[in-house]
Amino acid sequence: MDTLETRELRYFLAVAEELHFGRAAERLGMAQPPLSRAIQQLERRLGVCLLKRNRRGVWLTAAGEVLLHEGRAALDATTAAARRTRRAGDADSPAGPRNRLVLAVKAGASHELLHKLLDAYAAAPDAAEIEVLPSGLCEQEGMLRDGRADVALMHTPFNSLAGFDSEELTTEGQIAVLPAGHPLAAHKSLSLADVGGIPGLPLARWPRHGTYPPGPGPEIHDQTQLAQLIALGRTVTVLPDSARAWLWAEHTAVPLTDAPPVVTHIAWPAHSRSLALAGLIRTATRL
């Protein structure tokens, strides 16, 4: 049997991600015995062992690792199809809004570029409505894959463009954002080593793909929290130069001499055939 149901994939992914049948069942809102039977049935249908189980726990086999990766992509694709179809259906309704595109952006980044893009596109004939969807670090990728967004402003080397079509828009340097009263704030420039070893001022930690990197710095959930912690002298961060647009008076931005340049791209799903999206991309590349 070469076909899989979305229900089966949801069940398997819950177990594969939790590596615990009880927690997976709770996450799915079901009892554990039918979940166990569903996984066993899936293994029989595929003819492979997906999970190893003993008294010490649950772990993935090589086949299970493959289905975890492929299953996530498959569920994202079906979810994206449903979300984008609903948006297209809204535009078809006589009483509904005009054609709409959802643009994912990293909160606080590319502020000036975003303003220019929205103003230029709004002036184009038959422009679609643009809904701006702010996101955290690296979240734009997931939003494109699962259909929450139709297009995104993404930044290399932080974001991966794998699987997307894209056009390069701008290149900029990076800055360290420090509390305004800190001694290093008076410097004309700093290095990454300077910023990474400040006593009592650890680097802020952003989640990447749902997990936080190790370190003593605070776990950052949103831009406002980050701004507050920097102003209080609790953390320092490294951001693209365009982030200066949202800094507070209690912050100081210092250029970094050895940080890699940040390249902003406009990215979209490779299979997209949206005329409205094509118009937005043409506008972006002409800025």
Side-chain angles (χ1 to χ4, degrees):
M1 179 67 69
D2 292 329
T3 59
L4 293 170
E5 298 178 4
T6 56
R7 175 184 59 85
E8 293 177 311
L9 286 177
R10 283 196 299 270
Y11 286 1
F12 171 74
L13 290 180
V15 177
E17 290 169 356
E18 298 290 344
L19 291 178
H20 190 283
F21 276 86
R23 289 194 298 268
E26 183 177 356
R27 168 175 152 181
L28 292 164
M30 63 187 298
Q32 183 174 334
L35 175 60
S36 297
R37 289 195 294 271
I39 298 299
Q40 291 168 358
Q41 182 180 9
L42 176 60
E43 289 177 317
R44 286 196 298 270
R45 289 180 58 225
L46 293 175
V48 296
C49 177
L50 299 171
L51 299 158
K52 291 288 188 180
R53 317 158 179 83
N54 63 23
R55 293 180 180 179
R56 293 190 299 273
V58 178
W59 65 95
L60 291 167
T61 64
E65 292 280 2
V66 170
L67 186 57
L68 174 61
H69 174 76
E70 298 286 349
R72 281 172 175 160
L75 277 185
D76 280 348
T78 57
T79 303
R83 284 172 169 158
R84 292 187 176 118
T85 299
R86 288 194 194 100
R87 283 201 286 275
D90 288 342
D92 288 337
S93 172
R98 59 183 172 147
N99 197 7
R100 178 166 60 100
L101 293 173
V102 178
L103 170 63
V105 298
K106 179 185 171 186
S110 304
H111 187 76
E112 183 178 353
L113 172 64
L114 180 59
H115 265 290
K116 289 180 178 178
L117 174 58
L118 294 177
D119 289 346
Y121 181 66
D126 301 322
E129 176 186 349
I130 302 295
E131 177 185 340
V132 177
L133 183 61
S135 70
L137 185 69
C138 296
E139 290 183 351
Q140 304 100 305
E141 300 166 43
M143 290 175 172
L144 277 185
R145 295 189 199 284
D146 68 13
R148 283 174 290 169
D150 301 297
V151 59
L153 294 183
M154 294 168 63
H155 313 277
T156 56
F158 307 113
N159 297 124
S160 170
L161 299 173
F164 302 122
D165 285 341
S166 65
E167 289 285 349
E168 182 177 320
L169 301 181
T170 63
T171 301
E172 60 185 315
Q174 298 194 62
I175 55 174
V177 183
L178 304 106
H182 194 276
L184 288 180
H187 288 225
K188 291 185 177 180
S189 63
L190 294 169
S191 68
L192 287 172
D194 293 333
V195 175
I198 305 175
L201 200 65
L203 276 167
R205 292 183 294 141
W206 287 92
R208 289 179 179 270
H209 308 293
T211 60
Y212 286 90
E219 295 182 352
I220 301 302
H221 307 291
D222 56 52
Q223 179 184 320
T224 301
Q225 178 206 15
L226 174 64
Q228 184 74 56
L229 289 175
I230 295 172
L232 291 172
R234 301 299 178 89
T235 192
V236 61
T237 194
V238 173
L239 296 170
D241 190 77
S242 57
R244 292 176 186 268
W246 63 262
L247 298 187
W248 298 0
E250 294 89 346
H251 303 153
T252 295
V254 181
L256 292 168
T257 58
D258 57 349
V262 175
V263 182
T264 299
H265 304 255
I266 188 167
W268 63 96
H271 61 270
S272 177
R273 297 294 182 269
S274 167
L275 294 178
L277 176 57
L280 179 65
I281 294 162
R282 281 196 301 271
T283 301
T285 57
R286 291 169 181 166
L287 293 177

